[in-house]
Amino acid sequence: PVPKSISAARSARILCLQDSNSNTKYFDFVVVGSGVAGLRYALEVSKHGSVAIITKAEPHESNTNYAQGGVSAVLCPSDSVESHMQDTIVAGAYLCDEETVRVVCTEGPDRVKELIAIGASFDHGDDGKLHLAREGGHSHNRIVHAADMTGREIERALLKAFHPTALADEGLPIKPTNRRENAFLITEAVRGDGGILYNQSMQRFMPLYDERAELAPRDVVARSIDDQLKKRGEKYVLLDISHKPREQILAHFPNIAAECLRYGLDITSSPVPVVPAAHYMCGGIRAGLQGETNVKGLYVAGEVACTGLHGANRLASNSLLEALVFARRAVQPSIDHMTRSSLDIHASTMWTRPVLPTSLESHAMQEILFRTKTTRVELQSIMWEYVGIVRSTSRLKTAEWKIGELEAEWEEFLFRREWKPMMVGLQACEMKNLFCCAKLVVSSALARQESRGLHYIEDFPFLEESKRKPTIIFPTSLKLTWSSQQAHKLAAGAPL
């Protein structure tokens, strides 16, 4: 935070203090991430102080931009908050925090209306009302959407809401320059719109696993597909929407149709090969009802947060909803914290400043980049192979060991090429974060000795009521290496 006298002097552009002796800039609010949560929060707090939005790539490059389905909210007279709550809790295998669920389901409709007021354009039916779709796990049509590109439309509207002079010095380009590889999702809305899953013998299989068939929650569908693939020794199943009218398919799923055509697949006339994919992190930094954490002044919203909404499995289209609700709830507490705080320039000396690896020889840097790229692929393979849809204690322990070995080898490789602990680079920072997240997922999975929601473990295949409580991992319970060591501890000379 900056001094109150500075906070009082506001205009339409971002104002910040800058240390004349360094390149350090000081803002009232720093927002890390430019997805729906970050941008929605920034729009509000920018009315009360200077804001820096930090994103590692183009502003559009966020998980929000890849969210196809929509935002779930009670906007139909035949629907109810209680029904939305019940669907959320059932999908979450009764591990959801009921108070959080009520808050999100109650406040959701107003958050959607705010988006519309900001300029987001959602699909409407012939009657002029919002077209509400249905997805797996929902008992009513309550998904507000913009065809199959809802996240992209929300991101567009929020970015446009910023006046150009209210952005960072470099400005915010509207179109991303890079394309994300190997990340094309088929929205759950295809199943909600009548899509049917078949094995390669064109046998419909979902009714064999759940009475809700294709409208079962995603954890049930993912396990069912996984079971079919293993039993039949096949690589994929088929999702078919071609029995629906061509015009309806193209109207509801234009992006999916176009993307599939790039690979020679016409979804209006033939089924699409699909497999389950790692998609969303249900856990995260533990947060209260205002997005607050146990770190004073740090608020979280969106996929980074664990609010208790999702429980053991996220209900379709509840992710954008949660981000909107908690981004808005974190605003006033943040303002209150900022106004009663004062700037302590010396606080930053607790942390050794990160440095770019400019001192490294170019060949050493190239070797590090290549090794990091291959290490990332190896880590992904370990997680998919040992920490996937169906787990076991022995395989989780194997993953724990393999991840530890891989991390140690990667770190040793870097340090042998003169990499220093406080050096930073995009690929290295991402690799550190991936190792940290992987270890957290494995630790959490080992701690839950029951099968609940998306966590299915063969050693404990049943629900245990006595274990119906959230898993909390404390930093001290993890074996820390350079990758997961806190920077201020490194600065203090803590052993690696």
Side-chain angles (χ1 to χ4, degrees), residues 331-390:
V331 169
Q332 193 56 52
S334 300
I335 296 168
D336 294 342
H337 176 75
M338 183 270 293
T339 54
R340 62 173 178 260
S341 300
S342 58
L343 178 64
D344 180 7
I345 294 178
H346 300 293
S348 62
T349 60
M350 294 173 58
W351 302 77
T352 301
R353 289 182 180 273
V355 294
L356 294 172
T358 52
S359 61
L360 300 186
E361 297 288 341
S362 60
H363 68 86
M365 197 65 221
Q366 289 303 314
E367 289 177 354
I368 288 171
L369 289 174
F370 181 78
R371 180 59 177 263
T372 301
K373 184 178 180 179
T374 58
T375 299
R376 181 173 182 145
V377 173
E378 287 182 58
L379 179 61
Q380 290 170 331
S381 297
I382 291 169
M383 293 300 288
W384 185 251
E385 180 69 23
Y386 297 95
V387 199
I389 294 169
V390 176

Side-chain angles (χ1 to χ4, degrees), residues 183 258 458:
E458 292 174 323

Side-chain angles (χ1 to χ4, degrees), residues 139-449:
S139 57
H140 289 75
N141 288 46
R142 62 168 71 102
I143 313 301
V144 179
H145 63 100
D148 58 349
M149 297 170 281
T150 308
R152 188 182 306 177
E153 170 56 21
I154 293 173
E155 188 84 0
R156 180 205 64 79
L158 289 172
L159 284 171
K160 189 176 180 181
F162 283 94
H163 188 278
T165 58
L167 304 178
D169 296 339
E170 297 79 9
L172 291 177
I174 294 302
K175 292 185 178 179
T177 57
N178 299 321
R179 180 183 181 85
R180 182 185 284 186
E181 298 296 333
N182 301 320
F184 184 66
L185 295 172
I186 303 292
T187 173
E188 233 175 300
V190 174
R191 288 190 286 112
D193 212 37
I196 298 174
L197 285 164
Y198 297 98
N199 57 34
Q200 291 182 36
S201 297
M202 290 308 293
Q203 298 167 331
R204 185 183 182 188
F205 59 84
M206 277 310 302
L208 302 175
Y209 296 92
D210 194 285
E211 61 182 11
R212 294 165 291 186
E214 282 80 9
L215 289 177
R218 62 184 65 197
D219 62 321
V220 176
V221 176
R223 277 196 301 275
S224 302
I225 294 174
D226 183 71
D227 188 55
Q228 283 285 306
L229 297 181
K230 288 175 178 174
K231 283 181 177 177
R232 297 174 58 85
E234 295 173 348
K235 297 293 185 182
Y236 58 85
V237 297
L238 300 166
L239 177 60
D240 190 18
I241 192 73
S242 63
H243 52 280
K244 293 289 184 177
R246 175 183 173 84
E247 296 74 19
Q248 179 181 324
I249 296 171
L250 295 178
H252 290 185
F253 310 110
N255 185 51
I256 292 173
E259 189 71 15
C260 286
L261 272 179
R262 291 182 63 243
Y263 297 95
L265 295 168
D266 183 354
I267 67 171
T268 67
S269 61
S270 59
V272 182
V274 295
V275 293
H279 174 49
Y280 185 88
M281 186 73 73
C282 279
I285 300 169
R286 195 178 190 194
L289 287 174
Q290 309 298 326
E292 74 276 15
T293 68
N294 64 343
V295 177
K296 184 185 291 188
L298 176 65
Y299 298 83
V300 292
E303 192 170 348
V304 71
C306 183
T307 65
L309 174 67
H310 306 309
N313 177 59
R314 178 171 69 77
L315 180 64
S317 289
N318 266 4
S319 53
L320 294 176
L321 175 70
E322 179 194 37
L324 287 167
V325 169
F326 278 91
R328 195 69 182 80
R329 283 185 146 251
V331 169
Q332 193 56 52
S334 300
I335 296 168
D336 294 342
H337 176 75
M338 183 270 293
T339 54
R340 62 173 178 260
S341 300
S342 58
L343 178 64
D344 180 7
I345 294 178
H346 300 293
S348 62
T349 60
M350 294 173 58
W351 302 77
T352 301
R353 289 182 180 273
V355 294
L356 294 172
T358 52
S359 61
L360 300 186
E361 297 288 341
S362 60
H363 68 86
M365 197 65 221
Q366 289 303 314
E367 289 177 354
I368 288 171
L369 289 174
F370 181 78
R371 180 59 177 263
T372 301
K373 184 178 180 179
T374 58
T375 299
R376 181 173 182 145
V377 173
E378 287 182 58
L379 179 61
Q380 290 170 331
S381 297
I382 291 169
M383 293 300 288
W384 185 251
E385 180 69 23
Y386 297 95
V387 199
I389 294 169
V390 176
R391 301 163 170 174
S392 70
T393 299
S394 62
R395 294 177 69 77
L396 288 171
K397 288 187 175 297
T398 299
E400 190 174 46
W401 177 80
K402 283 180 173 288
I403 292 167
E405 289 291 298
L406 184 64
E407 185 180 31
E409 290 170 5
W410 177 70
E411 290 180 0
E412 183 181 3
F413 184 90
L414 265 62
F415 290 134
R416 282 184 174 178
R417 281 150 185 81
E418 304 303 323
W419 186 274
K420 305 301 180 185
M422 294 311 298
M423 284 183 174
V424 294
L426 176 61
Q427 294 83 355
C429 287
E430 284 190 345
M431 196 67 247
K432 288 172 64 175
N433 291 341
L434 286 169
F435 275 124
C436 185
C437 287
K439 291 189 287 188
L440 284 168
V441 169
V442 173
S443 297
S444 182
L446 283 168
R448 183 164 294 281
Q449 297 186 347

